[in-house]
């Protein structure tokens, strides 16, 4: 066999694909693993959403190819969501591109914008697809440290000028994965100003914008004046409506960038399954009350985890949003040694901070997306094998 394309040599199997194989192997030996590693909602979408899918799937005329932009009602539903949640007006024709999950769009945007020699500014720790997309395009990721003393926000003024000159994309993600940090409005405004100043496309990933607690409501980057001139936002129904497996997302905002992404996608995919889009419309336009009730379940789980960790002498911050608790680990170990130890000694799987970048070392990410009973049991097990104090 001849060698693979060079870009494949810059690519590796993602951590969770490897972890799932390891966990399957442990389960085959009878271990009852509790997975608090991946952020995949355990609860189903509300019944009216599932009904919309089954109704559509039962109809004989819903099974062909769709257009890439999906039904007009889908674009209208996304526009409605942005108007309701953020007071942002979107033109459905030019300012919304439906995605097969936001990960797809995040990866492909880099293919539309980056050439070898270009730079993408990427948070560290951060969601790994930003760097994967840049690297696959042959471009250079420049990692912006997110540090606890800066509230896990990048310090844009420290990025060297020669890097900024070569940079085309600036990735931000709030509420943040993995740190669960949220961004004050002033920071978002400063980031928009920075993108204007340096002619960057600001890509804001808002995958967790509908998972928040204690009355906190995450802002969209598009709420900032003149953001649309320089920014797009990635959004998703995966966490917002417990629809991770359904693969429904959107990119919204700057029309020039979205046209490029749309053009690329017309060469790649053939739209989505219409009944899934019909159910997505139902999710976004139907009853929203259940979303807040669901968030209340996550808040209770968050508090169980925080209480458990604090009783161990660890001191995580209280997240106001996202699906995660980001916790410091005991001294004298690395994050992957710590998660391996927990997996092997008490069958609890957490995510080591180091997989999100070098500045994630010293932390673990704990997902709120497993049943409350399992989370309680996981905290009991961890308490038995960890002695921090
Ligand atoms: C920060 C962030 N962005 C994007 C995604 C991708 O979500 P999806 O492709 O399901 O829309 C995830 C998934 O975990 C995420 O954590």
């Amino acid at each position: 066999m001849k060698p693979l394309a060079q870009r494949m040599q810059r690519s590796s199997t993602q951590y969770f694909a490897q972890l799932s194989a390891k966990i399957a192997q442990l389960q085959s030996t009878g271990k009852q693993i509790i997975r608090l590693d991946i952020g995949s909602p355990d609860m189903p979408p509300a019944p009216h959403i599932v009904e919309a899918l089954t109704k559509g799937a039962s109809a004989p005329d819903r099974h062909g190819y769709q257009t890439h932009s999906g039904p007009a009602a889908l674009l209208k539903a996304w526009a409605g969501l942005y108007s309701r949640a953020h007071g942002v007006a979107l033109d459905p024709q030019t300012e919304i591109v439906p995605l097969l999950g936001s990960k797809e769009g995040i990866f492909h945007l880099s293919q539309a914008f980056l050439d070898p020699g270009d730079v993408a500014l990427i948070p560290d720790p951060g969601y790994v697809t930003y760097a994967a997309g840049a690297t696959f395009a042959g471009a250079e990721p420049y990692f912006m440290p997110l540090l606890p003393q800066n509230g896990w926000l990048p310090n844009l003024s420290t990025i060297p000028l020669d890097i900024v000159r070569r940079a085309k994309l600036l990735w931000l993600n709030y509420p943040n994965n993995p740190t669960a940090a949220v961004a004050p409005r002033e920071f978002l405004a400063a980031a928009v100003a920075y993108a204007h100043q340096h002619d960057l496309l600001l890509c804001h990933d808002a995958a967790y914008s509908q998972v928040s607690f204690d009355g906190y409501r995450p802002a969209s980057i598009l709420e900032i004046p003149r953001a649309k001139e320089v920014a797009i936002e990635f959004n998703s129904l995966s966490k917002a409506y417990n629809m991770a497996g359904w693969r429904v997302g959107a990119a919204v905002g700057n029309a020039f960038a979205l046209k490029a992404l749309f053009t690329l996608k017309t060469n790649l995919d053939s739209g989505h399954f219409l009944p899934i889009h019909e159910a997505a419309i139902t999710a976004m336009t139907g009853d929203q009350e259940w979303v807040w009730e669901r968030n209340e379940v996550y808040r209770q789980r968050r508090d169980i985890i925080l209480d458990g960790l604090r009783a161990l002498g660890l001191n995580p911050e209280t997240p106001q949003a996202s699906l995660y608790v980001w916790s410091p680990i005991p001294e004298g170990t690395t994050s992957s040694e710590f998660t391996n130890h927990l997996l092997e000694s008490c069958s609890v799987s957490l995510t080591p901070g180091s997989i999100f970048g070098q500045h994630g070392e010293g932390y673990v990410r704990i997902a709120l997306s497993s049943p409350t009973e399992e989370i309680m049991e996981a905290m009991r097990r961890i308490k038995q094998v960890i002695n921090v104090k």
Side-chain angles (χ1 to χ4, degrees), residues 48-112:
H48 61 277
I49 301 172
V50 179
E51 271 163 34
L53 172 68
T54 47
K55 187 168 162 235
S58 310
D61 59 350
R62 297 286 202 281
H63 300 272
Y65 291 120
Q66 269 205 89
T67 60
H68 289 88
S69 49
L74 177 77
L75 302 176
K76 206 169 148 213
W78 276 111
L81 186 152
Y82 265 81
S83 160
R84 187 174 69 230
H86 303 295
V88 167
L90 293 173
D91 176 354
Q93 302 308 317
T94 58
E95 294 179 340
I96 305 173
V97 171
L99 302 171
L100 302 167
S102 63
K103 180 176 182 177
E104 174 263 303
I106 289 168
F107 188 88
H108 286 136
L109 185 86
S110 291
Q111 314 317 310

Side-chain angles (χ1 to χ4, degrees), residues 34 36 304-305 371-382:
I34 300 180
L36 307 185
I304 292 166
I305 295 171
T372 308
E373 269 305 313
E374 280 188 24
I375 290 185
M376 291 166 87
E377 169 62 13
M379 297 317 294
R380 273 193 290 272
R381 290 190 196 175
I382 292 174

Side-chain angles (χ1 to χ4, degrees), residues 113-163:
F113 271 84
L114 300 176
D115 284 316
D118 291 338
V119 169
L121 305 172
I122 291 172
D124 172 358
Y127 180 55
V128 292
T129 305
Y130 315 135
T135 313
F136 206 74
E140 230 176 273
Y142 175 85
F143 292 104
M144 306 177 289
L146 305 188
L147 304 173
Q149 59 269 32
N150 297 336
W152 306 103
L153 304 168
N155 186 346
L156 300 173
S157 66
T158 61
I159 302 170
L161 259 189
D162 60 313
I163 295 289

Side-chain angles (χ1 to χ4, degrees), residues 24-331:
Q25 193 271 323
L26 287 169
Q27 283 166 332
S28 72
T29 66
K31 292 251 167 93
Q32 300 293 317
I33 312 285
I34 300 180
R35 292 196 67 167
L36 307 185
D37 49 75
I38 202 161
S40 180
D42 59 309
M43 293 177 272
H48 61 277
I49 301 172
V50 179
E51 271 163 34
L53 172 68
T54 47
K55 187 168 162 235
S58 310
D61 59 350
R62 297 286 202 281
H63 300 272
Y65 291 120
Q66 269 205 89
T67 60
H68 289 88
S69 49
L74 177 77
L75 302 176
K76 206 169 148 213
W78 276 111
L81 186 152
Y82 265 81
S83 160
R84 187 174 69 230
H86 303 295
V88 167
L90 293 173
D91 176 354
Q93 302 308 317
T94 58
E95 294 179 340
I96 305 173
V97 171
L99 302 171
L100 302 167
S102 63
K103 180 176 182 177
E104 174 263 303
I106 289 168
F107 188 88
H108 286 136
L109 185 86
S110 291
Q111 314 317 310
F113 271 84
L114 300 176
D115 284 316
D118 291 338
V119 169
L121 305 172
I122 291 172
D124 172 358
Y127 180 55
V128 292
T129 305
Y130 315 135
T135 313
F136 206 74
E140 230 176 273
Y142 175 85
F143 292 104
M144 306 177 289
L146 305 188
L147 304 173
Q149 59 269 32
N150 297 336
W152 306 103
L153 304 168
N155 186 346
L156 300 173
S157 66
T158 61
I159 302 170
L161 259 189
D162 60 313
I163 295 289
V164 187
R165 277 196 204 104
R166 287 198 290 131
K168 281 186 167 171
L169 304 180
L170 166 60
W171 288 98
L172 295 174
N173 161 225
Y174 294 96
N176 185 256
N177 174 17
T179 68
V182 296
R185 212 182 172 76
E186 306 77 65
F187 172 78
L188 297 178
V192 168
Y194 185 84
H196 271 284
Q197 186 189 350
H198 295 288
D199 196 17
L200 300 169
L201 176 63
L202 198 174
C203 306
H204 185 239
D205 179 355
Y208 297 91
S209 61
Q210 290 206 70
V211 184
S212 62
F213 321 114
D214 309 327
Y216 176 76
R217 296 278 183 278
S220 161
I221 195 84
L222 300 178
E223 290 174 35
I224 305 298
R226 296 192 60 204
K228 257 193 216 172
E229 294 165 30
V230 290
I232 58 173
E233 183 157 273
F234 288 90
N235 212 316
S236 167
L237 303 195
S238 294
K239 331 280 172 171
Y241 295 100
N242 299 351
M243 292 165 70
W246 301 44
R247 315 309 301 132
V248 182
V252 302
N254 182 272
F256 171 78
L258 293 180
K259 191 168 179 213
L261 182 59
F262 186 81
T263 303
L264 183 79
K265 279 174 60 58
T266 58
N267 290 283
L268 282 170
D269 62 61
S270 301
H272 212 331
F273 182 39
L274 181 54
I276 288 189
H277 272 168
E278 290 172 335
I281 295 163
T282 304
M284 288 188 273
T285 57
D287 170 36
Q288 304 296 307
E289 218 27 59
W290 73 277
V291 173
W292 306 114
E293 287 161 17
R294 184 273 322 268
N295 285 354
E296 181 53 20
V297 175
Y298 285 144
R299 188 206 51 81
Q300 287 165 7
R301 295 174 180 178
R302 175 199 73 177
D303 290 347
I304 292 166
I305 295 171
L306 291 175
D307 288 349
L309 294 170
R310 287 174 184 157
L312 284 171
L314 299 170
N315 196 17
E317 290 167 30
T318 302
Q320 288 177 282
S322 89
L323 266 188
Y324 309 108
V325 169
W326 180 241
S327 175
I329 58 172
E331 301 217 337

